[in-house]
Amino acid sequence: DGANNEMVYPGPLGRFDIDPVNRKLYWGVYEVGGGDQIMRANLDGSSIEQVIGGLSAGIDGLAVDPSGTKVYWVQTIEENPPSGAIHRVNFDGSAHEQIQVSEQRPSDIAVHHASGKVFWTDRGLAPTFPGGVYRANLDFSDVEQIVLGLNHLSGMSIDQSAGLLYFCRQQTVGVFRCDLNGGGFVALGLGSTYRIAVLSEKFGFECFGDTNSDLHVNVADLLNVVGSWGPCQSCAVDFN
């Protein structure tokens, strides 16, 4: 309801995302003159730490993949013609990879690990390069455009449980939705919108069978229960 507003970190800040499994908040920090960085903290603002620093050209979009233990971000270099790139690192900041996206202007990014896909929005550069929504495998093979003909796209988010993409643009009709293949496209309206976030998963143990909060109920959860067999007080696997 907007109450209990707290500052976690002073600006100037860029994009942010939440890791619901490890209960972490990630965000980009803009530094005047370069040297941007990606930070994270617990959801209560404690244990602030740097994931990676010394970045250039800004952080235009940010996504966390808890299952793959990766942080992704995009950047656009507004030259003539403009160019863009997608980056990722491990949670500890190691293994920095830069994947060039020639002549594209990526604006935001999201990961659906269960389907093995990464998605991004592109602003486009009419008439030479079409804007829209793109996807690729997690190794960035098989790049394809799944939503065509929409320029000026900005934010993107995924409903992980329902397998739905939400994305927006700074135009009269600003919010859209489709499935992970680009089907079921719906214009939701809501006016000019720059960023969007969908939090489809509950924190804690709202899904009682998901004892390790990896967003799946499987053998690993059963092993947690067996390993905790016996009397306990307020333990997560004591469902009743």
Side-chain angles (χ1 to χ4, degrees):
D1 61 3
N4 300 320
N5 186 1
E6 300 178 68
M7 183 176 70
V8 175
Y9 190 89
L13 304 181
R15 313 303 172 224
F16 72 93
D17 197 16
I18 291 176
D19 174 358
V21 175
N22 300 296
R23 300 176 63 84
K24 294 283 188 178
L25 173 67
Y26 286 73
W27 67 93
V29 178
Y30 292 124
E31 298 290 351
V32 177
D36 296 345
Q37 53 188 323
I38 295 175
M39 308 291 291
R40 70 171 164 230
N42 295 330
L43 294 181
D44 63 3
S46 64
S47 300
I48 295 176
E49 58 184 340
Q50 183 189 78
V51 177
I52 188 171
L55 305 176
S56 61
I59 301 166
D60 293 323
L62 181 69
V64 180
D65 177 15
S67 297
T69 63
K70 296 279 188 180
V71 183
Y72 293 73
W73 71 96
V74 300
Q75 62 180 194
T76 295
I77 302 172
E78 295 291 356
E79 297 175 341
N80 188 18
S83 63
I86 297 174
H87 300 254
R88 68 181 172 194
V89 294
N90 294 331
F91 273 5
D92 63 2
S94 65
H96 181 188
E97 301 174 76
Q98 175 173 293
I99 300 96
Q100 293 290 341
V101 186
S102 177
E103 297 182 357
Q104 286 188 302
R105 301 172 69 206
S107 51
D108 207 355
I109 190 166
V111 181
H112 192 261
H113 196 92
S115 65
K117 295 290 185 180
V118 57
F119 300 81
W120 65 93
T121 49
D122 192 274
R123 298 180 182 91
L125 183 64
T128 57
F129 196 87
V133 177
Y134 291 77
R135 75 175 179 186
N137 297 328
L138 292 177
D139 63 359
F140 285 88
S141 62
D142 297 331
V143 175
E144 56 184 329
Q145 188 176 17
I146 62 171
V147 176
L148 291 73
L150 288 176
N151 289 324
H152 309 293
L153 290 180
S154 49
M156 163 177 278
S157 188
I158 295 182
D159 184 332
Q160 297 284 343
S161 297
L164 293 172
L165 295 173
Y166 290 80
F167 47 99
C168 57
R169 66 175 178 171
Q170 294 175 285
Q171 296 288 324
T172 303
V173 178
V175 179
F176 307 88
R177 182 183 68 207
C178 67
D179 63 31
L180 300 182
N181 297 311
F185 178 86
V186 178
L188 300 175
L190 303 182
S192 177
T193 307
Y194 188 54
R195 294 293 166 183
I196 189 169
V198 177
L199 185 59
S200 58
E201 309 298 341
K202 301 289 187 181
F203 291 107
F205 294 91
E206 296 292 333
C207 178
F208 293 117
D210 184 15
T211 60
N212 58 4
S213 297
D214 66 352
L215 310 183
H216 299 279
V217 178
N218 50 32
V219 173
D221 301 298
L222 179 60
L223 293 176
N224 275 346
V225 174
V226 173
S228 303
W229 203 271
C232 66
Q233 183 177 0
S234 299
C235 59
V237 297
D238 183 13
F239 306 142
N240 59 3

